[in-house]
């Protein structure tokens, strides 16, 4: 078999300073910083071979990865610590595109940028190439100031990219789903925090990723893709396993970095590998799927970092501290509530991942008392 494809962006977007308040109100600023194009880093390199090796070990029956020494799975703790997304809030879904979205969106963006023609779209949503025309550098930023309308509409285009290409990659290759338009428009046009619905972005990302792995582990055709949030899977693997992990030459976060006064804009734990201040050893090979498969087969229990977010690890990686969004919703990390994205309802098996929280895990954990019926998962 060949590695699955990741429908992830080839280039990241820059963030305009006047977007920051609205992104903060929506709970998306730490994640936006994580995938921001800054300095020499214009994109994140997704390791399709590594992600596919994880999907190969995913079992839909238990919602866990099966290794020779036991089970593991991404949890809400991983979403908080790695991505900095909020867990408290309204569920994301069910999602549905609004009637007449093509005409309405075309009217909103008409004349925002002189060199851009009418919106190009498919039945699923606007085309990515058209949305990319509204990146802030296309307006001449930072040399040319942008109007308030340009800032708002470029933020709406950015949010479509952020949701459709990094958080929920259920896109159709060259388009972004129109189902995200109402959320992007709401956040972009907000003038106060109260105008934005507080959403449980973190649980939605985890639910979408669970569903993506349930689908991906059963795919066999050439060119099959993994949906959900591949970034979460990659950062989760790097945090816990030595396989495919980039070499970090600079091991300390610069203390003179300027951060948000409320400590929201500080780095997430996932920034350990995506920060502009990090320099990776460029000694990784391509087409590592067979090699990674063998390494996972031979991986020992002692090679696993079971608790990568301990205070010692955090202090070593970030002596200046991390974003308070990483730990704000700690009370939800072991919830037994079902997690939701769109029409998908997923269930976490806490008894199977207790070792990841420093607790005792049974060798043969009991089955869930009230499992999801097959009709719901279908």
């Amino acid at each position: 078999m060949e590695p699955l494809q990741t429908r992830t962006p080839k280039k990241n977007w820059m963030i305009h300073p006047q977007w920051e308040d609205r992104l903060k109100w929506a709970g998306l600023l730490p994640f936006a910083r994580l995938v921001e194009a800054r300095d020499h880093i214009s994109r994140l390199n997704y390791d399709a071979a590594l992600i596919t090796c994880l999907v190969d070990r995913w079992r839909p029956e238990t919602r866990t990865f099966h290794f020779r020494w036991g089970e593991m799975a991404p949890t809400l703790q991983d979403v908080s610590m790695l991505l900095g997304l909020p867990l408290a809030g309204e569920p994301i879904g069910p999602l549905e595109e609004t009637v007449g979205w093509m005409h309405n969106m075309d009217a909103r963006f008409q004349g925002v940028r002189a060199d851009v023609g009418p919106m190009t779209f498919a039945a699923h949503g606007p085309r990515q190439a058209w949305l990319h025309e509204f990146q802030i550098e296309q307006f001449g930023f930072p040399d040319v100031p942008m109007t308030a309308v340009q800032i708002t509409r470029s933020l709406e285009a950015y949010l479509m990219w952020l949701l459709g290409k990094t958080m929920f990659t259920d896109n159709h290759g060259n388009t972004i789903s129109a189902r995200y338009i109402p959320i992007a428009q709401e956040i972009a046009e907000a003038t106060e925090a109260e105008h934005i619905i507080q959403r449980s972005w973190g649980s939605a990302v985890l639910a979408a990723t669970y569903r993506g792995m349930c689908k991906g582990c059963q795919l066999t055709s050439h060119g099959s893709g993994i949906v959900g949030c591949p970034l979460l899977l990659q950062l989760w693997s790097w945090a816990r396993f030595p396989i495919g992990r980039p070499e970090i030459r600079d091991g300390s976060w610069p203390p003179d970095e300027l951060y948000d006064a409320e400590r929201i804009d500080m780095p997430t734990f996932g920034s350990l590998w995506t920060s502009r201040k990090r320099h990776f050893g460029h000694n990784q090979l391509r087409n590592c799927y067979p090699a990674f498969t063998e390494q996972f087969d031979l991986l020992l229990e002692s090679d696993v970092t079971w608790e990568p977010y301990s205070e010692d690890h955090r202090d070593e990686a970030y002596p200046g501290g991390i974003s308070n969004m990483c730990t704000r919703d700690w009370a939800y990390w072991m919830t037994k509530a079902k997690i939701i994205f769109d029409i998908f309802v997923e269930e976490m098996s806490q008894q199977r991942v207790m070792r990841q929280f420093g607790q005792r895990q049974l060798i043969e954990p009991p089955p869930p008392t009230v499992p999801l019926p097959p009709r719901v998962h279908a």
Side-chain angles (χ1 to χ4, degrees):
M1 294 178 63
E2 296 182 358
L4 297 171
Q5 296 181 1
T6 59
R7 299 170 181 172
T8 46
K10 295 182 179 179
K11 182 181 179 181
N12 288 356
W13 286 44
M14 293 175 58
I15 295 177
H16 195 284
Q18 294 190 40
W19 294 354
E20 293 177 5
D21 282 343
R22 282 167 278 187
L23 291 173
K24 184 194 303 181
W25 296 339
L28 294 174
L29 184 57
F31 184 83
R33 289 293 188 207
L34 186 67
V35 296
E36 181 182 7
R38 293 182 291 180
D39 293 352
H40 64 282
I41 297 180
S42 62
R43 62 169 295 181
L44 291 174
N45 292 317
Y46 289 84
D47 195 332
L50 179 64
I51 294 171
T52 304
C53 284
L54 293 174
V55 175
D56 287 344
R57 286 156 179 78
W58 182 259
R59 298 303 305 178
E61 301 87 347
T62 60
R63 301 297 197 282
T64 55
F65 296 117
H66 282 218
F67 300 98
R68 60 183 295 185
W69 29 260
E71 299 174 77
M72 294 182 71
T75 66
L76 291 174
Q77 181 193 38
D78 296 301
V79 177
S80 293
M81 298 300 295
L82 294 171
L83 306 183
L85 291 171
L87 304 180
E90 297 295 321
I92 311 298
L95 299 174
E96 186 177 3
E97 63 268 19
T98 57
V99 177
W101 66 266
M102 293 166 280
H103 173 77
N104 294 334
M105 190 170 192
D106 188 45
R108 288 198 303 275
F109 281 80
Q110 190 71 36
V112 172
R113 186 164 164 247
D115 299 335
V116 180
M119 181 179 66
T120 58
F121 57 89
H124 308 293
R127 296 193 183 278
Q128 292 181 51
W130 182 80
L131 290 171
H132 289 169
E133 295 292 340
F134 297 95
Q135 292 178 310
I136 58 176
E137 58 264 38
Q138 301 288 355
F139 292 91
F141 180 85
D143 299 324
V144 179
M146 297 172 61
T147 67
V149 173
Q150 291 174 335
I151 291 172
T152 296
R153 292 302 151 222
S154 61
L155 174 56
E156 181 179 346
Y158 166 78
L159 288 166
M160 291 290 290
W161 170 85
L162 188 71
L163 297 176
K165 292 295 288 185
T166 61
M167 294 175 67
F168 313 107
T169 61
D170 56 340
N171 55 76
H172 295 270
N174 60 354
T175 61
I176 300 294
S177 176
R179 298 176 302 161
Y180 302 126
I181 293 176
I183 298 178
Q185 185 179 359
E186 172 197 311
I187 298 173
E189 296 179 355
T191 57
E192 298 179 6
E194 292 74 18
H195 297 164
I196 299 176
I197 297 174
Q198 297 304 301
R199 296 178 170 89
S200 180
W201 295 108
S203 65
V205 164
L206 187 60
T209 304
Y210 275 17
R211 179 52 59 106
M213 289 187 289
C214 288
K215 291 180 177 179
C217 67
Q218 302 177 66
L219 298 175
T220 58
S221 62
H222 175 74
S224 296
I226 174 70
V227 298
C229 185
L231 177 61
L232 172 62
L233 292 180
Q234 183 160 307
L235 295 179
W236 181 83
S237 179
W238 285 351
R240 297 182 181 274
F241 309 124
I243 299 171
R245 179 190 293 162
E247 174 190 351
I248 301 177
R249 295 176 180 169
D250 177 13
S252 60
W253 186 263
D256 58 347
E257 189 75 68
L258 296 178
Y259 295 120
D260 184 90
E262 299 177 8
R263 299 180 69 85
I264 292 177
D265 201 16
M266 296 185 73
T268 67
F269 208 87
S271 302
L272 188 66
W273 296 281
T274 62
S275 164
R276 59 184 172 143
K277 296 293 185 180
R278 306 292 180 179
H279 301 283
F280 300 154
H282 298 283
N283 57 355
Q284 290 183 301
L285 301 177
R286 295 184 178 274
N287 303 321
C288 292
Y289 183 37
F292 286 168
T293 297
E294 181 179 3
Q295 291 176 44
F296 271 112
D297 288 342
L298 299 176
L299 190 69
L300 300 177
E301 181 179 347
S302 57
D303 297 325
V304 178
T305 304
W306 290 97
E307 298 177 73
Y309 317 122
S310 64
E311 290 189 13
D312 290 342
H313 280 120
R314 275 189 262 173
D315 292 342
E316 180 181 357
Y318 298 113
I322 61 176
S323 172
N324 63 5
M325 292 296 289
C326 293
T327 55
R328 187 193 71 170
D329 294 331
W330 64 270
Y332 292 88
W333 287 350
M334 298 189 69
T335 179
K336 295 183 178 180
K338 295 176 175 60
I339 52 177
I340 299 171
F341 168 66
D342 196 14
I343 61 172
F344 303 141
V345 180
E346 299 293 331
E347 188 165 6
M348 299 174 292
S349 302
Q350 285 87 354
Q351 290 294 331
R352 298 179 180 270
V353 295
M354 297 301 286
R355 295 178 70 181
Q356 296 173 216
F357 292 91
Q359 300 185 27
R360 180 173 177 263
Q361 183 168 327
L362 300 176
I363 297 177
E364 295 182 1
T369 54
V370 186
L372 285 176
R375 62 177 179 82
V376 174
H377 187 60

